[in-house]
């Protein structure tokens, strides 16, 4: 038995130590944060065989009298059954069995419901998994509701799109950043930084076009090789000297942050952007970088609340105009950077872990 409080951390996939995707970085940070705020963490992540073994071990420990404070799960963009390779086993009810065990022992539970890309699909799925995914997403949701989980969402606005029943409980749990990572702004001409996907929900066409009107402003762009190749094939002018492309993982970005002034989230608006809270927003803020965001998005609401950046209408002329302004007013960039550094102090992963603990232990 542990004298320190215990919590159960679950994810339907193995943890990656240096993930390239934000969807895999968040659970890693949250698991670590629970330990850092003083919890003994029982880890229920892993491949299908690993989670089966951990379920059996958890059942034994609960029968022997272990009393965890709460259960917290980080779900996947994919349905739980497809979150890790099905080659190691196909177990569509495994994660529901874990939840059911927790509920029977009276342990309050919460799940971070990552996103609902699957409800915003623009074209029919081409793969078998893609065609089956909506069914299994709905199956996961039924399991969550049956087991009375508290839904943690990127923003409260997402609840509208989830169509949760009236008796379901939810709260916002946006991404965060690591503490102690802020850095001073560099000297020299204005440099922008973007990390993330291209195309789909991350269209930056207007920004790329606006950059051409300010040749002295450069952009450090981190994305996956295949997405950059696809973007370059559509617009060969992206190969200009203003855009410096990198293919790096999350642990390799600090030199680029140190060399840039402003984080970019000036993506094309959509219904999805009205509630999405991108992880990169808080990654920028945690480095003390103010953010240029598209008006009308959840990211813009957060940036305005923190006074840590600027919102702009998505359009070439509007973005070019604000880039010209920022180039001519470095003092404004410095002020917003100061605000970002202040915001970084209270938007850490430890803060998010404490919020989870408060919500779930109050529900006992």
């Amino acid at each position: 038995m542990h004298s320190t409080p215990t919590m159960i951390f679950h994810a339907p996939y193995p943890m990656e130590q240096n993930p390239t995707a934000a969807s895999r970085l968040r659970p890693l940070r949250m698991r670590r944060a629970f330990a850092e705020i003083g919890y003994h963490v029982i880890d229920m992540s892993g491949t299908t065989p690993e989670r089966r073994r951990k379920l059996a071990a958890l059942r034994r420990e609960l029968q022997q009298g272990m009393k965890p404070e709460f259960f917290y799960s980080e779900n996947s963009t994919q349905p739980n059954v497809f979150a890790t390779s099905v080659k190691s086993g196909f177990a569509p009810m495994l994660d529901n069995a874990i939840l059911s065990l927790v509920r029977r022992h009276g342990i309050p539970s919460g799940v971070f419901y990552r996103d609902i890309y699957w409800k915003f699909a623009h074209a029919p799925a081409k793969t078998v998994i893609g065609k089956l995914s909506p069914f299994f997403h709905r199956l996961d949701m039924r399991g969550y509701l049956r087991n009375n989980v508290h839904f943690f969402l990127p923003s409260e606005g997402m609840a509208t799109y989830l169509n949760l029943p009236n008796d379901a409980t939810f709260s916002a749990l946006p991404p965060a950043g690591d503490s102690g990572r802020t850095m001073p702004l560099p000297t020299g001409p204005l440099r922008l930084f973007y990390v993330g996907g291209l195309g789909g929900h991350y269209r930056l066409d207007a920004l790329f076009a606006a950059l051409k009107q300010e040749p002295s402003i450069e952009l450090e762009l981190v994305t996956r090789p295949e997405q950059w190749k696809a973007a370059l094939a559509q617009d060969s002018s992206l190969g200009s000297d203003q855009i410096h492309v990198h293919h790096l993982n999350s642990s390799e970005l600090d030199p680029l942050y140190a060399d840039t002034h402003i984080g970019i989230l000036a993506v094309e608006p959509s219904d999805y952007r009205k509630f999405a809270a991108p992880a990169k927003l808080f990654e920028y803020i945690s480095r003390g970088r103010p953010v240029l965001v598209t008006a009308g998005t959840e990211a813009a609401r957060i940036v305005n609340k923190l006074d840590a950046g600027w919102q702009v209408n998505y359009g070439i002329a509007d973005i070019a105009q604000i880039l010209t302004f920022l180039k001519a007013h470095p003092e404004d960039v410095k002020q917003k950077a100061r605000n970002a550094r202040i915001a970084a102090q209270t938007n850490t992963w430890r803060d998010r872990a404490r919020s989870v603990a408060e919500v779930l232990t109050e529900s006992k």
Side-chain angles (χ1 to χ4, degrees):
M1 302 293 288
H2 295 273
S3 58
T4 54
T6 297
M7 62 82 61
I8 305 168
F9 177 91
H10 167 265
Y13 43 80
M15 295 288 103
E16 300 175 32
Q17 292 310 305
N18 284 298
T20 56
S23 60
R24 288 296 192 262
L25 180 63
R26 177 183 177 121
L28 196 67
R29 296 290 185 263
M30 285 296 291
R31 186 180 66 176
R32 184 180 70 186
F34 285 119
E36 289 175 345
I37 66 171
Y39 283 94
H40 168 67
V41 178
I42 297 176
D43 185 89
M44 296 290 292
S45 65
T47 63
T48 300
E50 288 170 341
R51 299 198 316 284
R52 278 200 185 105
R53 289 193 293 271
K54 290 179 177 182
L55 172 58
L58 179 64
R59 185 178 290 113
R60 289 193 299 271
E61 291 192 78
L62 292 175
Q63 288 172 346
Q64 292 168 6
M66 184 183 66
K67 298 186 182 299
E69 294 281 311
F70 59 89
F71 170 98
Y72 173 79
S73 176
E74 284 266 341
N75 85 340
S76 172
T77 302
Q78 296 286 345
N80 289 337
V81 69
F82 298 136
T84 186
S85 174
V86 295
K87 293 179 181 178
S88 65
F90 184 73
M93 299 306 293
L94 173 59
D95 301 287
N96 184 67
I98 295 171
L99 265 177
S100 296
L101 174 66
V102 166
R103 179 179 55 81
R104 289 197 302 273
H105 282 267
I107 302 166
S109 60
V111 59
F112 177 71
Y113 202 88
R114 184 168 312 283
D115 57 46
I116 45 176
Y117 277 131
W118 62 281
K119 286 195 173 187
F120 288 81
H122 297 297
K126 296 180 181 179
T127 65
V128 173
I129 287 179
K131 291 175 181 177
L132 291 174
S133 285
F135 168 80
F136 284 108
H137 275 301
R138 289 191 288 271
L139 185 66
D140 289 343
M141 179 58 70
R142 283 200 291 272
Y144 295 143
L145 293 173
R146 189 180 304 117
N147 288 294
N148 300 318
V149 305
H150 178 90
F151 289 90
F152 293 103
L153 307 176
S155 69
E156 290 188 358
M158 181 174 163
T160 302
Y161 296 84
L162 267 181
N163 298 318
L164 294 173
N166 292 334
D167 59 347
T169 62
F170 65 89
S171 56
L173 191 75
D178 291 319
S179 59
R181 302 292 293 275
T182 59
M183 50 186 72
L185 291 177
T187 57
L190 186 65
R191 297 174 73 88
L192 313 177
F193 182 62
Y194 175 78
V195 55
L198 293 177
H201 292 295
Y202 293 98
R203 294 185 63 87
L204 291 166
D205 303 48
L207 172 78
F208 292 145
L211 267 178
K212 297 173 188 176
Q213 299 183 27
E214 282 292 347
S216 66
I217 299 177
E218 298 184 0
L219 170 68
E220 302 292 341
L221 189 150
V222 180
T223 193
R224 294 176 179 173
E226 62 273 15
Q227 292 187 335
W228 174 247
K229 289 177 184 176
L232 199 57
Q234 288 187 334
D235 184 358
S236 60
S237 68
L238 298 184
S240 73
D241 292 339
Q242 284 179 271
I243 302 175
H244 309 281
V245 182
H246 311 269
H247 310 302
L248 304 170
N249 66 42
S250 59
S251 66
E252 301 172 311
L253 301 181
D254 277 356
L256 294 180
Y257 278 113
D259 201 34
T260 51
H261 302 82
I262 296 172
I264 293 296
L265 258 174
V267 297
E268 184 177 44
S270 64
D271 282 345
Y272 182 79
R273 288 281 152 224
K274 292 177 182 177
F275 63 81
K280 61 179 67 65
L281 168 60
F282 288 95
E283 287 292 305
Y284 294 151
I285 289 171
S286 72
R287 302 317 200 283
R289 295 298 176 263
V291 190
L292 180 63
V293 293
T294 309
T297 62
E298 173 66 11
R301 187 195 67 79
I302 294 170
V303 166
N304 288 344
K305 180 181 177 181
L306 301 175
D307 195 18
W310 312 265
Q311 64 170 318
V312 61
N313 292 326
Y314 185 83
I316 298 171
D318 289 302
I319 296 176
Q321 183 179 23
I322 197 164
L323 290 180
T324 300
F325 170 82
L326 295 173
K327 173 185 165 184
H329 295 84
E331 71 283 356
D332 199 58
V333 177
K334 290 177 182 177
Q335 180 58 57
K336 299 296 187 187
R338 282 192 287 271
N339 295 345
R341 289 195 293 272
I342 293 169
Q345 296 172 15
T346 54
N347 285 278
T348 69
W349 292 113
R350 290 184 186 186
D351 293 316
R352 302 296 185 254
R354 290 189 191 97
S355 294
V356 169
E358 288 171 7
V359 168
L360 295 182
T361 55
E362 284 176 2
S363 67
K364 278 188 168 181

